[in-house]
Amino acid sequence: MPYFTLIMKKSRFIVLLVALGCNIPHEDSRLVFTEKQLPTPIQLKGEKLDFGLEFALNPKEILLKDQNLIVAEGKSLQNEKVHLLDLRGQKYRRSVGKDGLGPGEITIGYPLLDSGEPDIFWVYDTQQFKFSAFSIKDTSSLAIRQFKGLDIPLYITSVDWGPNNTLLVNLVDGWVKYFQLNTDGDTIRYFGSWENMLDGRELPQGVKREDLQPNLLASLHQGKIKSNPSKTRFVKAGTHVDFIDIIDIENEEVITVYGPIDELPEFRVSMNQGFQMPAFDLSKLTLKYLDIYAGDKSFFALYSGKSFREISEDSNLNRLFEFDYDGKVLNHYQLDFPLIGFTVDEINRKIYGISTDMDPGIVLFDLN
């Protein structure tokens, strides 16, 4: 599949130049931190919150919006894919997300996105390549508006809302790391190169840098993207590689932070429908950053360090690292619940996590 077909028709000329390797801006700096350089961990004690739910919760993602927790379900449901929980009264409000392909319907309830609009949250349906807006105040389970915004599907791997009704995305193929797009399908800017992620890295035995294709590197470095409230800074954190990109979108600058291990996982090159993909050694593979929160002056990253099979165990529990936007580690928090996601109330200094223990639910951590 030619790379330019992954972008909307209006941008083919720009992307074709990128595919040919023309003038891709490079990352600005590379920082590394180790376990020994981390601050002394601050122990946080979590409290399971009871919202009076009459059903078992299996949370996948969480978003804080106007003192409501928006919680996406991890299990497959016909309807009610996203739950709204009121923090003020600590009660269940309702669920949204009618299953289907029709107007206002979705087939999957995550990732959750915040465009900054009051009382509105978004779901990017990765099965339909569709963005759906839901109102906290509306009583319907349907989305109040939706768009694809593209002439053909855009193979997005990570996305969040940016400034002025734009999106910052990673794509499944091509050397370019980041594209800023508007909802009409125009490319505003592009910057960063996946190839630079191999600088100074030791590849697994038998893997040669010159043989690797961009889609393999993009897949190897997959992870979530989150924007700060003002949409001026973004953070991307790797799921299988312990890296964090700190992104200044206006200046097209990226600081990449590696740690606390700073090494690539073991993998071999496999082929899937004509594309290179990393085949991991599952006996050695561990999860790195499970989730991130980009705040006003700092951001938080949820670190695992365990295999997928061990993710729910109560030993070697998750940690939270807090960084400033220059890449400096500010705080190191040790949690007492296994989490797969979290969000932060910066004003009240509270963390709300979604647990992956035997009784999954919402866990409150107080930073005061």
Side-chain angles (χ1 to χ4, degrees), residues 165-349:
N165 202 35
T166 63
L167 298 160
L168 185 70
V169 306
N170 291 139
L171 303 180
V172 74
D173 196 15
W175 288 113
V176 177
K177 286 172 74 174
Y178 299 108
F179 284 89
Q180 185 185 7
L181 312 171
N182 66 25
T183 56
D184 292 326
D186 298 311
T187 299
I188 308 301
R189 54 167 57 91
Y190 59 90
F191 55 96
S193 172
W194 289 118
E195 187 175 19
N196 295 339
M197 299 298 287
L198 296 181
D199 292 347
R201 313 307 299 272
E202 182 177 345
L203 291 171
Q205 186 174 3
V207 177
K208 297 181 180 180
R209 177 169 178 162
E210 60 269 22
D211 295 336
L212 299 181
Q213 297 174 2
N215 55 284
L216 182 142
L217 295 180
S219 180
L220 182 65
H221 293 91
Q222 64 181 286
K224 295 181 179 180
I225 292 177
K226 297 287 181 69
S227 64
N228 70 352
S230 63
K231 307 298 181 184
T232 56
R233 295 287 190 275
F234 291 76
V235 181
K236 177 185 172 73
T239 304
H240 299 308
V241 179
D242 58 337
F243 83 97
I244 298 171
D245 271 356
I246 305 170
I247 304 156
D248 179 343
I249 190 170
E250 184 65 29
N251 295 310
E252 301 178 12
E253 296 175 348
V254 181
I255 299 172
T256 302
V257 181
Y258 294 91
I261 298 175
D262 186 27
E263 65 181 22
L264 294 174
E266 289 289 330
F267 71 91
R268 60 179 176 81
V269 179
S270 65
M271 299 300 296
N272 184 1
Q273 298 181 351
F275 288 89
Q276 285 186 354
M277 295 294 290
F280 295 109
D281 182 347
L282 297 181
S283 66
K284 300 179 181 179
L285 183 65
T286 59
L287 298 169
K288 303 306 189 297
Y289 291 105
L290 302 181
D291 203 0
I292 44 177
Y293 173 84
D296 182 25
K297 296 181 179 179
S298 66
F299 66 89
F300 296 78
L302 178 63
Y303 185 77
S304 172
K306 299 195 293 187
S307 70
F308 184 79
R309 292 180 179 179
E310 300 169 327
I311 194 171
S312 298
E313 295 181 0
D314 57 6
S315 60
N316 189 26
L317 290 168
N318 310 64
R319 294 176 289 165
L320 274 175
F321 304 145
E322 182 182 7
F323 299 81
D324 65 20
Y325 283 101
D326 292 323
K328 178 183 177 181
V329 182
L330 301 177
N331 288 298
H332 173 197
Y333 298 103
Q334 176 64 63
L335 308 178
D336 62 350
F337 278 86
L339 302 184
I340 57 170
F342 74 103
T343 188
V344 179
D345 180 345
E346 291 191 276
I347 296 176
N348 296 304
R349 292 185 52 78

Side-chain angles (χ1 to χ4, degrees), residues 93-114:
R93 293 188 62 169
R94 61 190 181 91
S95 298
V96 300
K98 183 178 179 181
D99 187 76
L101 304 177
E105 298 174 342
I106 60 176
T107 56
I108 191 169
Y110 55 87
L112 299 169
L113 311 175
D114 186 358

